[in-house]
Amino acid sequence: MHANAVPAVLPALLIGFLSLLTPLLTPRTVQFGVRLPAERAGDPVVAHARRTYWTGIGAVTAVAVSAGLFVRSAGAAAIVADLVELVGSVAAYLLARSHVADAKRDGHWFEGRRQVTVTDTTLRTRPEPFPWLWTLPAVAITVGTAVVGAVRYPHLPPRLVSHYDAGGHPTSYTDKTFVSAFGLVMVQIAVSALIVVLSRVTARGKAELDAQDPHAAERHRRFVTAMARCLLVLAAAADLTMFFAALATWNLVGSTGFFPVLLIAPIVLATAGLVVVTVRVGQGGSRLRVEGAEAVGSGIGLGTGSGNGSGAGNRTGNGAVNRDDDSFWKLGMVYVNREDPAVFVQKRFGVGWTVNFGRPAVVGLLVGILAIAVLVPVLAGSH
């Protein structure tokens, strides 16, 4: 076992912990990526699938940690542990999913049921206000970093540190240029802009409303607001981390001692907050309590068959269930529907959004995100 064995396996432990939580965060009508009538959420087969999944995740995490602890190199240990955890978690999910899907098919759970899709027109006509005020911390930190850099720039030495080791000691240098001096500011701008745009787009994206839940629209509103706030806090945390890194580059703070902890603390705290909020609200707001809310009236419409559903003046109920749309979800994880105009849709297993791979716009979106991912380390100088 090497000296940095424990830190190397921490990401695998985190992945395992989040994987264990995931089945508790999904709506009752979607279990392991399989669409179900609400009354089937407590079926013995579904309960057995959960136990199988949790047992599998526990075993996989134990193997991943054991493998990581006994790999000589810290870098290799982290890679091995994370790879084992990721592959094993997916395998545990697919096994549990197969149990639920087989029971659904063999039991004809949707046979004879009126299948509908639900929409609430008020989500478009009176959308939840986007929390623009929550963008101010990220903006303030970025502007503050740029101002400090502008004041410091004339006094910088001709050679700047471009890389530090894990202990905070400089290992390489680069010539002083505008890009090398302000690269982290550019990264702040790019990351903040990306997170704000994605938060805004997903907040106005397609709502997954439950035909068997009269308060689904209210849950959705509270869910998208909570997630947008968490993402904007995460943007501010990333900017704060880059601010501290920039101070080290500009020789305003030392890079050893407590500095490495200070560097990662904002991201760790923001991520922890995101996990706490996620556990509280659940995917689509499925864990939220909506007390005293009235069933949505004229804003709700029901539609049958394929498509997104339309209509007005109808209430959910009368034995209606959500449309069985499993055919659009490959393995319950990848959404492909050319007839659906939505680019972003809520995940079926996990919390957050994924993309509709049936839309051509997704290609451009993925290329843009990949471009930012490539440019960030270049502009940051591998700090």
Side-chain angles (χ1 to χ4, degrees):
M1 184 184 302
H2 52 84
N4 295 320
V6 174
V9 300
L10 286 179
L13 286 172
L14 178 60
I15 294 171
F17 172 71
L18 296 177
S19 298
L20 288 172
L21 285 179
T22 301
L24 303 176
L25 307 180
T26 53
R28 59 178 180 166
T29 52
V30 179
Q31 297 293 315
F32 295 103
V34 180
R35 177 73 72 183
L36 307 176
E39 63 273 14
R40 290 290 183 175
D43 192 274
V45 173
V46 177
H48 174 71
R50 289 196 198 100
R51 291 193 298 268
T52 300
Y53 173 79
W54 284 326
T55 301
I57 294 297
V60 165
T61 302
V63 172
V65 171
S66 299
L69 290 177
F70 292 99
V71 174
R72 292 181 179 274
S73 166
I79 293 174
V80 169
D82 293 349
L83 185 60
V84 171
E85 186 67 45
L86 288 170
V87 173
S89 296
V90 172
Y93 159 79
L94 292 176
L95 178 61
R97 181 180 183 276
S98 68
H99 291 327
V100 178
D102 291 346
K104 170 187 171 180
R105 183 190 65 245
D106 297 340
H108 307 287
W109 288 355
F110 276 86
E111 187 173 311
R113 306 295 297 272
R114 186 165 69 96
Q115 300 181 32
V116 302
T117 53
V118 181
T119 185
D120 185 333
T121 57
T122 64
L123 293 176
R124 290 291 183 184
T125 59
R126 297 194 302 276
E128 196 71 8
F130 187 75
W132 287 109
L133 286 178
W134 288 70
T135 66
L136 292 181
V139 172
I141 294 170
T142 300
V143 171
T145 307
V147 170
V148 173
V151 172
R152 180 63 178 163
Y153 187 78
H155 309 288
L156 292 177
R159 300 275 290 172
L160 302 177
V161 179
S162 60
H163 186 270
Y164 293 93
D165 61 18
H169 302 95
T171 58
S172 61
Y173 295 81
T174 186
D175 292 335
K176 170 190 169 182
T177 64
F178 180 84
V179 173
S180 63
F182 290 91
L184 286 167
V185 177
M186 299 177 191
V187 174
Q188 286 178 319
I189 295 172
V191 170
S192 297
L194 177 63
I195 293 178
V196 169
V197 169
L198 289 179
S199 300
R200 171 71 170 173
V201 171
T202 53
R204 295 294 181 90
K206 179 182 177 181
E208 294 289 341
L209 302 184
D210 190 343
Q212 296 179 274
D213 179 6
H215 308 316
E218 175 63 18
R219 295 181 196 277
H220 174 79
R221 288 179 181 275
R222 292 168 60 180
F223 168 73
V224 296
T225 298
M227 289 296 102
R229 289 172 177 173
C230 285
L231 289 174
L232 295 176
V233 169
L234 190 61
D239 289 343
L240 190 58
T241 288
M242 286 180 276
F243 170 71
F244 291 140
L247 294 183
T249 299
W250 301 330
N251 297 323
L252 291 175
V253 297
S255 58
T256 57
F258 186 71
F259 182 78
V261 176
L262 183 65
L263 203 62
I264 65 172
I267 296 294
V268 171
L269 293 175
T271 302
L274 176 61
V275 171
V276 171
V277 172
T278 296
V279 171
R280 184 178 184 278
V281 302
Q283 176 68 319
S286 58
R287 291 176 61 86
L288 289 171
R289 291 190 177 186
V290 184
E291 298 178 357
E294 296 180 357
V296 181
S298 61
I300 285 188
L302 300 179
T304 59
S306 60
N308 296 321
S310 61
N314 297 316
R315 292 181 182 269
T316 58
N318 301 322
V321 296
N322 297 294
R323 178 168 60 101
D324 184 6
D325 53 356
D326 285 358
S327 60
F328 297 118
W329 287 90
K330 312 308 176 185
L331 300 178
M333 295 185 289
V334 180
Y335 184 67
V336 184
N337 185 356
R338 293 180 177 84
E339 302 301 321
D340 189 346
V343 174
F344 290 94
V345 295
Q346 291 180 19
K347 292 180 180 179
R348 281 207 158 180
F349 192 70
V351 176
W353 290 265
T354 184
V355 294
N356 178 8
F357 285 92
R359 303 302 303 169
V362 169
V363 176
L365 174 67
L366 295 179
V367 169
I369 294 176
L370 181 61
I372 291 178
V374 172
L375 289 175
V376 163
V378 174
L379 292 175
S382 301
H383 286 82

